[in-house]
Amino acid sequence: MRLGHLPLATLKINRHSPLLWLPVVMAGLALTAAAGWQLGRTSQNEPILNLEQQRLQRRSAALEEKLLEGTASDAEQMQLLKLRLASGDDEGAIALLEPLSDRNPSQWSLRLLLADLRQQQNDMTGAEREIRQVLNINPIQPQALQDYARLQLKLGNEQAVVEQLKAAVVAAAGRPEALPIGLLQADLQQRQGLNAEAEATYSSLIAAHPTDPRPFLALALLKQTQGQIAAAKQLLQRAKLYSTPVAGTVLDQIAASWSVGAIREQAPSSEGADLVDTNP
């Protein structure tokens, strides 16, 4: 397996998190301030934006009408779901997701999206119920396990996560899910301060999946936090062997940044830039 981009199914956009949109807004403000004379020129795009907004509003209104009439297909309800989410209508999205996820139990992403929306509304009991419905169907579904772990840790139920992951590791033995579940278990072990156990888990995953870059990268991160920069960089190089060129470049940048950090710690007041080995 090659390390490229994460599957879209694993990514969850939290529209309420300023960390996602604040840098974009600040960049936009900076550009506006630096080139204010262009405002008159760029304003010609406003009619285009308004036309697109009007098109989406008409589409949304048509779908809402079909929903009220009871003639909207699941595909059309999915379109409406996206439009409601885009407009920030979380309650409307939940109202659509409840029957959609009931009718499509094999589409676990719908149920997990519903869980995420409930959590954003501080309905932790409802969020846990939705996640457990996915795990009842497939106890080794990696994304559901990850969401369950995050929720329980947020609630302070660490032991529940430990038990759930232990059972999942046993159930997933010899299956593709074993790797992501093992990575989750090792991450939890680090959280508990069990670094030796985490390292052993990563080593076991590397032995079982020698051409997958993820356990190499995870162990490298652990070594880096322990100050073992040389060992961490060696692991990054091994991860790079099984990664895409783009991911390999990112790994090189990570290794270089670790070298810079190590030099700064050793001689924080010196001019050590020329000593940095940027070729790990």
Side-chain angles (χ1 to χ4, degrees), residues 138 140-142 145 168-169 171-183 209:
N138 183 2
I140 58 173
Q141 209 297 314
L145 286 168
V169 166
R175 301 183 59 172
E177 294 89 346
L179 177 54
I181 293 174
L183 291 171
H209 308 273

Side-chain angles (χ1 to χ4, degrees), residues 8-278:
L8 289 179
T10 67
L11 300 180
K12 287 193 175 180
I13 299 177
N14 182 352
R15 303 185 310 281
H16 303 290
S17 174
L19 295 178
L20 295 175
W21 49 261
L22 187 56
V24 179
V25 174
M26 293 302 292
L29 290 175
L31 288 173
T32 301
W37 59 272
Q38 289 188 326
L39 289 176
R41 185 177 303 178
T42 57
S43 64
Q44 63 187 350
N45 293 326
E46 290 181 4
I48 298 176
L49 294 175
N50 289 335
L51 286 174
E52 177 63 16
Q53 185 177 24
Q54 291 172 15
R55 187 188 70 80
L56 292 175
Q57 288 174 346
R58 288 195 299 270
R59 180 57 179 160
S60 178
L63 290 171
E64 293 284 4
E65 184 175 354
K66 293 193 72 173
L67 183 66
L68 285 174
E69 295 172 349
T71 59
S73 66
D74 278 4
E76 289 172 325
Q77 291 184 48
M78 286 295 295
Q79 293 178 36
L80 183 57
L81 171 64
K82 294 176 183 178
L83 291 170
R84 287 183 177 182
L85 286 171
S87 67
D89 182 9
D90 287 356
E91 291 186 1
I94 289 174
L96 272 176
L97 274 169
E98 288 173 337
L100 273 173
S101 56
D102 286 340
R103 291 195 301 270
N104 301 277
S106 63
Q107 294 188 33
W108 52 264
S109 58
L110 294 176
R111 186 71 66 182
L112 294 184
L113 176 57
L114 179 55
D116 184 60
L117 289 172
R118 292 197 189 284
Q119 189 172 166
Q120 289 182 32
Q121 294 191 332
N122 293 318
D123 180 7
M124 303 305 176
T125 301
E128 181 177 355
R129 181 179 63 249
E130 305 299 348
I131 296 171
R132 282 203 173 278
Q133 287 197 50
V134 176
L135 292 175
N136 287 340
I137 296 173
N138 183 2
I140 58 173
Q141 209 297 314
Q143 186 61 54
L145 286 168
Q146 180 174 315
D147 289 358
Y148 175 81
R150 287 175 175 169
L151 175 62
Q152 295 301 328
L153 289 174
K154 184 176 181 179
L155 297 174
N157 300 329
E158 186 176 278
Q159 190 56 38
V161 180
V162 171
E163 294 173 1
Q164 187 80 32
L165 288 182
K166 279 184 178 179
V169 166
V170 173
R175 301 183 59 172
E177 294 89 346
L179 177 54
I181 293 174
L183 291 171
L184 272 176
Q185 184 183 47
D187 188 58
L188 177 62
Q189 289 168 336
Q190 285 189 70
R191 180 185 177 90
Q192 295 176 300
L194 304 174
N195 289 338
E197 287 83 349
E199 182 171 346
T201 299
Y202 289 137
S203 297
S204 176
L205 292 173
I206 288 171
H209 308 273
T211 61
D212 193 299
R214 288 174 290 177
F216 289 108
L217 177 57
L219 183 54
L221 292 170
L222 174 59
K223 293 290 187 182
Q224 189 268 341
T225 61
Q226 296 173 331
Q228 301 179 41
I229 304 302
K233 290 172 68 176
Q234 288 178 358
L235 287 162
L236 283 183
Q237 282 299 300
R238 294 179 68 183
K240 184 179 176 182
L241 291 174
Y242 310 110
S243 303
T244 64
V246 172
T249 300
V250 174
L251 294 178
D252 284 341
Q253 294 171 349
I254 293 173
S257 71
W258 288 350
S259 296
V260 171
I263 289 175
R264 286 175 177 168
E265 288 182 4
Q266 293 169 9
S269 61
S270 66
E271 296 293 333
D274 293 337
L275 301 177
V276 178
D277 177 13
T278 58

